[in-house]
Amino acid sequence: MILTGDKEFYKGIGSIKYEGKESDNPFSFKFYNPEKKVMGKSMAEHFKFAVAYWHSFCGQGGDPFGPGTQQFPWDSSSDPMQRARDKADAAFEFITKMGFEYFCFHDVDLVDEADSLSENEKRLHEIGEYISQKKQDSGVKLLWGTANCFSNPVYMNGAATNPDFNVVARAGAQIKMALDLTISLGGENYVFWGGREGYMSLLNTDMGRELDHMAQFLVMARDYARSRGFKGTFFIEPKPMEPMKHQYDFDAATAIGFLREYGLEKDFKLNIEVNHATLAQHSFEHELTVAANAGMLGSIDANRGDNQNGWDTDQFPVNIYEVTEAMLVFLQAGGLKGGGINFDAKIRRNSIDLEDIFHAHIGGADTFARALLTAEKILTSSKFTSLRNERYASFDNGQGQEFENGSLTLEDLSDIALKSKKPNRISGKQEFFENIINQFI
Ligand code: XUL
Ligand code: CO
């Protein structure tokens, strides 16, 4: 059901429905069929697609060379609360027209930050009540909330890792409010993306102390949220750089090591973002695999980077081959632990028509759907799994199995090798594996 406010913002566009790949209606899904079952779950259940409030209703396409190019009709009022309500109307109209069930936000996306913390709290409370009503009316749910502790200049030296305790306390106040808001809106999860938690130069930074502070802060946030009845999962969203030269949550392996070191691994999982993976010189599927192996694959921020440059371009996903490799990991991991697929992606600066975010989200959803269907076929009707398992067959019984069980010593390995023939060379067959993906796309 479409939910509009006093006025309709996306005029002329109705519900986006699945029409199949032969449809020539640009405002329809060609592959994403929410009800279609894939390996026992509907596509809607697999993905839990979410719209990112910040990119779709706040960001106007500004870049370091010039201001925003997109003009939003919901931004016209001079009263910040009216602007916030108009923006919420636009957001819920868009989400319900897309037929998506979820959204994600930062505190400051919902309403402009005021000069004082107490005024902020009032504003957030007020817009929270407005959005709560819209959630009830539409059935749209909150996948996760977060706090923006990186845009305000007060955080230029970091938030939880700031060398000044006064700033750490301010971040605490802001995150407490964001947690309260997330809980009151029934948020299923809460995200910590590092923002400015990292450093520009080690010369002026006590890294060990900052990491201890970050952990202490997360412990406090967890304890507070749990005391308020929050049952959801906390996610860390790794990123190697931007805005800091070095971010503390560099990649999945780093974040997992950190969470385990400080005993946070039970409450926290990871939110893996495609373009963050590639900035860390990994592939998306690498980061998903690292998280899945640790039982910490919580959620996904879907987007893509640009192969020709090295920053976070946050483009919408379109690459079927790349996303199919990711969906193979996704399906084999049994899906996400609590999270969903949040389109943390923005349209290009020169995409200035209001309808452009429909094309973007339709393309993103279709890319994931097509990749999921392809991955399902690869797993159920190709030799992919058996070929990969065969590479490890020597560990399935005999001495290989004893090695895996931990019942051999290094001397045993030595004895075995000295008594054996020289090992055969066995092909890794990478090109054959690559062709299987192409064959099923
Ligand atoms: C930044 C980023 C953020 C987080 C939420 O690169 O991805 O939008 O997802 O703070
Ligand atoms: Co993100």
Side-chain angles (χ1 to χ4, degrees), residues 123-140:
R123 284 187 183 185
L124 283 177
H125 186 71
E126 215 180 304
I127 193 65
E129 297 209 318
Y130 188 74
I131 288 180
S132 180
Q133 188 60 51
K134 298 194 83 72
K135 276 185 68 242
Q136 270 178 43
D137 295 344
S138 63
V140 169

Side-chain angles (χ1 to χ4, degrees), residues 108-121:
V108 306
D109 303 335
L110 301 186
V111 59
D112 296 350
E113 256 189 306
D115 285 339
S116 74
L117 276 174
S118 53
E119 174 61 20
N120 260 351
E121 188 155 30

Side-chain angles (χ1 to χ4, degrees), residues 237 273 276 301 344:
E237 184 179 319
E273 178 160 329
H276 296 181
D301 267 10
D344 192 354

Side-chain angles (χ1 to χ4, degrees), residues 351-423:
S351 298
I352 55 162
D353 293 340
L354 281 180
E355 66 171 48
D356 288 330
I357 62 163
F358 281 90
H359 297 307
H361 285 83
I362 288 168
D366 273 341
T367 301
F368 269 81
R370 202 172 170 182
L372 186 77
L373 293 169
T374 310
E376 179 200 27
K377 274 189 266 157
I378 291 171
L379 291 175
T380 56
S381 48
S382 84
K383 291 205 163 131
F384 173 82
T385 312
S386 59
L387 282 171
R388 199 173 59 178
N389 288 344
E390 260 169 44
R391 295 193 71 217
Y392 298 89
S394 59
F395 293 95
D396 290 344
N397 44 47
Q399 290 162 327
Q401 193 176 40
E402 287 169 31
F403 167 84
E404 274 197 351
N405 294 342
S407 49
L408 295 186
T409 63
L410 193 64
E411 290 101 314
D412 292 333
L413 289 188
S414 175
D415 288 345
I416 292 164
L418 289 169
K419 281 187 211 136
S420 311
K421 289 188 295 189
K422 194 172 161 196

Side-chain angles (χ1 to χ4, degrees), residues 54 144 193 237 271 273 276 301 303 314 342 344:
W54 53 103
W144 50 261
W193 163 57
E237 184 179 319
N271 181 31
E273 178 160 329
H276 296 181
D301 267 10
N303 56 28
D314 283 343
N342 168 46
D344 192 354

